Amino acid sequence: MGKAAKGGKKLPSAPLADKKKAAKKNPLFEKAPRNFRLGGDIQPKRDLTRFVKWPKYVRLQRMKRVMLMRLKVPPAINQFNMAIDKNQASSVLRLCKKYQPETKEAKKARLMEMAQQKKDGQEVKSKKPQVVKYGLNHVTTLVENKQAKLVVFAHDVDPIELVCWLPALCRKKDVPYCIIKGKSRLGQLVHKKAVSCVALTAVSKEDQKELETLSTNFKAQFNDNAEVRRRWGGGIM
């Protein structure tokens, strides 16, 4: 019995139709694994940020940031970290934008028109427009003479010593002031890259109420706020 079981029936082979055809490889498009050893394939792009040697100005500004956090910052300098919020900033910038200084072309055209009117013996109609005043010396003179109705400082003036004394002058002369984030935003108002401060001296009748509201708010927030003059900064780390 055992022998018969050993030499059992042979199973029939599968029909020809069912035979799997081996896929022919095209030698032109052979898949070869990449070799990243010396002289091999180009290395894949990796994130090397950690190993970059940053430019000197980046390293300096990072070191300065850390230093200002570690050192104790006196109130005269720390007050520039207490800037107005986004809504207040947008209302101030909206008001100032109405009084942008005229461009060189516009000024030239106005002066030419005035000269033509004088030449023809007519009454000169074109008047000098009301605009925001900018420039450190100019704004200082306006504050000293109490001609400025509202002064806006940038929080990131460098070196800060240029403007750190101006808020005290504004308080002494009772001129409302505020601190806004971004000297470049102030620069856009007057066709410059960056401006340390701007001042409004006069506005039209329709904007008078808005200017008074802003002045009252900023007087309470900055001029009459004793906390601004007393709070030290830094000492975090």
Side-chain angles (χ1 to χ4, degrees):
M1 288 290 289
K3 275 183 182 179
K6 244 184 184 181
K9 282 184 179 179
K10 206 175 184 183
L11 290 169
S13 57
L16 289 171
D18 291 354
K19 274 190 179 178
K20 285 184 180 178
K21 290 180 181 178
K24 285 186 178 180
K25 286 185 179 179
N26 189 343
L28 290 174
F29 303 106
E30 268 190 64
K31 190 181 177 183
R34 285 191 176 184
N35 172 26
F36 293 122
R37 294 173 69 182
L38 284 175
D41 287 300
I42 295 167
Q43 294 285 332
K45 286 196 173 180
R46 296 184 182 89
D47 184 17
L48 300 173
T49 318
R50 177 69 188 78
F51 309 101
V52 168
K53 184 175 181 183
W54 290 96
K56 197 169 185 181
Y57 79 95
V58 173
R59 280 179 284 153
L60 280 172
Q61 65 193 17
R62 285 181 180 178
M63 285 191 282
K64 184 185 175 184
R65 179 87 176 153
V66 172
M67 190 180 73
L68 286 174
M69 286 170 80
R70 289 183 179 170
L71 294 177
K72 286 244 179 141
V73 182
I77 292 171
N78 188 52
Q79 66 182 331
F80 287 91
N81 293 328
M82 303 176 198
I84 55 178
D85 62 31
K86 196 177 177 181
N87 295 330
Q88 288 175 312
S90 61
S91 57
V92 169
L93 292 171
R94 200 185 314 118
L95 178 64
C96 291
K97 202 167 187 182
K98 291 181 184 177
Y99 300 97
Q100 273 190 318
E102 53 191 350
T103 57
K104 282 184 180 179
E105 292 80 16
K107 188 176 182 181
K108 191 178 178 183
R110 180 172 62 83
L111 292 174
M112 287 291 282
E113 192 184 343
M114 279 176 65
Q116 190 64 42
Q117 286 170 353
K118 276 187 181 179
K119 189 180 176 184
D120 298 343
Q122 298 172 7
E123 192 182 336
V124 178
K125 290 176 185 176
S126 57
K127 287 184 180 178
K128 194 177 181 184
Q130 293 174 332
V131 294
V132 289
K133 311 294 181 185
Y134 63 98
L136 201 53
N137 292 341
H138 192 186
V139 170
T140 306
T141 309
L142 292 171
V143 172
E144 283 174 342
N145 298 334
K146 296 187 180 181
Q147 291 176 339
K149 299 282 188 291
L150 176 66
V151 182
V152 185
F153 302 114
H155 88 298
D156 55 349
V157 179
D158 189 42
I160 197 70
E161 289 84 359
L162 290 171
V163 289
C164 65
W165 48 273
L166 256 174
L169 182 67
C170 288
R171 279 196 296 271
K172 189 181 178 185
K173 297 291 181 182
D174 203 31
V175 174
Y177 74 91
C178 68
I179 294 162
I180 197 170
K181 286 198 170 181
K183 57 187 175 185
S184 57
R185 289 161 91 190
L186 293 183
Q188 284 175 348
L189 293 173
V190 295
H191 316 297
K192 301 276 180 192
K193 276 188 185 175
V195 166
S196 60
C197 54
V198 299
L200 278 167
T201 51
V203 292
S204 55
K205 282 184 181 178
E206 59 263 22
D207 295 323
Q208 194 68 44
K209 194 177 179 184
E210 192 181 351
L211 180 65
E212 282 173 11
T213 310
L214 288 170
S215 301
T216 311
N217 292 346
F218 293 146
K219 261 198 174 182
Q221 193 175 340
F222 292 96
N223 293 55
D224 305 333
N225 188 0
E227 184 69 18
V228 170
R229 302 195 294 275
R230 289 179 189 157
R231 188 188 286 179
W232 282 66
I236 297 166
M237 298 169 75

